[in-house]
């Protein structure tokens, strides 16, 4: 993915385990058996292309996997003004199809 530099909010919903890494750095790691669960994480992306990798497994019952990425308000101060860290120059969102899920927990 290629986005403007700045802070982004990652959202996942999974049933069961999920791992999400960006450029080899683990951002979300909930490799457990659980019902549908939302996890959010904020990430500061630099300039250039980033590689996101999502792994997911399902043990039984319903399966769910959702991922979204959008501008973050993580560094907004009490007034809502952005802090000194770089922010996206324009709103960007990305969502897409994911690689086939892993069938076995690691």
């Amino acid at each position: 993915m290629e986005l403007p530099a700045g802070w982004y909010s990652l959202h996942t919903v999974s049933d069961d385990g999920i791992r999400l890494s960006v450029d080899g750095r683990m951002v979300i790691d909930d490799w457990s058996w659980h019902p549908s669960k939302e996890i959010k994480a904020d990430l500061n992306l630099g300039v250039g292309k980033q590689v996101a990798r999502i792994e997911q497994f399902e043990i039984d019952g319903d399966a769910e996997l959702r991922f979204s990425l959008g501008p973050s308000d993580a560094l907004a101060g009490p007034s809502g003004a952005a802090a000194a860290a770089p922010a996206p120059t324009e709103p960007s969102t990305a969502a897409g199809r994911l690689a086939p899920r892993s069938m076995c927990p690691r």
Side-chain angles (χ1 to χ4, degrees):
M1 61 188 171
E2 189 163 1
L3 302 167
W7 282 92
Y8 289 85
S9 184
L10 301 162
H11 298 255
T12 63
V13 177
S14 67
D15 174 5
D16 290 302
I18 187 165
R19 288 182 181 141
L20 170 63
S21 62
V22 176
D23 290 334
R25 186 174 87 195
M26 191 64 65
V27 178
I28 294 174
D29 188 5
D30 187 5
W31 207 243
S32 64
W33 185 9
H34 56 78
S36 186
K37 178 166 128 180
E38 181 179 14
I39 299 175
K40 299 177 184 179
D42 291 305
L43 180 65
N44 191 7
L45 297 177
V47 175
K49 290 185 180 180
Q50 283 81 33
V51 175
R53 177 184 171 102
I54 297 178
E55 298 175 89
Q56 190 260 346
F57 77 87
E58 173 61 33
I59 292 180
D60 65 1
D62 296 332
E64 182 174 18
L65 177 59
R66 291 186 280 153
F67 165 76
S68 65
L69 170 70
S72 174
D73 60 357
L75 296 181
S79 66
T89 55
E90 60 186 65
S92 299
T93 58
R97 299 181 186 273
L98 306 174
R101 66 180 183 231
S102 168
M103 298 305 285
C104 300
R106 291 188 223 163

